Amino acid sequence: MEQCIEVNGREYQFAATYDGDAQYNVQVLSGDKLITMFKIAADSEEDVFKAAKAHFQADVELGHIDV
């Protein structure tokens, strides 16, 4: 699954694959550049990108990811 999501005024490509046990592997890309990867727990596919956006946005705002 893939979705373009705007975070702090910039657009990123989020790609998620199901890993089992309600876990999804998420990759965040800007163009061809991989920005970060992480796992997200979600009850459904609908919840994956909301949770992934919140996780990524928090990492950016806390300075864990330099974009």
Side-chain angles (χ1 to χ4, degrees):
M1 303 180 303
E2 293 185 5
Q3 188 172 357
C4 289
I5 300 174
E6 187 177 310
V7 177
N8 295 344
R10 294 184 64 187
E11 192 167 287
Y12 298 94
Q13 182 71 27
F14 283 66
T17 55
Y18 187 66
D19 191 23
D21 294 329
Q23 291 281 318
Y24 291 83
N25 293 316
V26 178
Q27 292 183 335
V28 181
L29 299 110
S30 178
D32 290 336
K33 181 181 175 188
L34 177 65
I35 304 296
T36 189
M37 295 178 0
F38 52 86
K39 289 188 180 246
I40 285 289
D43 293 329
S44 69
E45 288 183 6
E46 296 171 2
D47 297 334
V48 172
F49 291 110
K50 285 189 260 180
K53 178 182 178 180
H55 180 99
F56 180 68
Q57 190 167 14
D59 277 350
V60 169
E61 290 175 2
L62 292 171
H64 296 208
I65 297 172
D66 184 28
V67 290

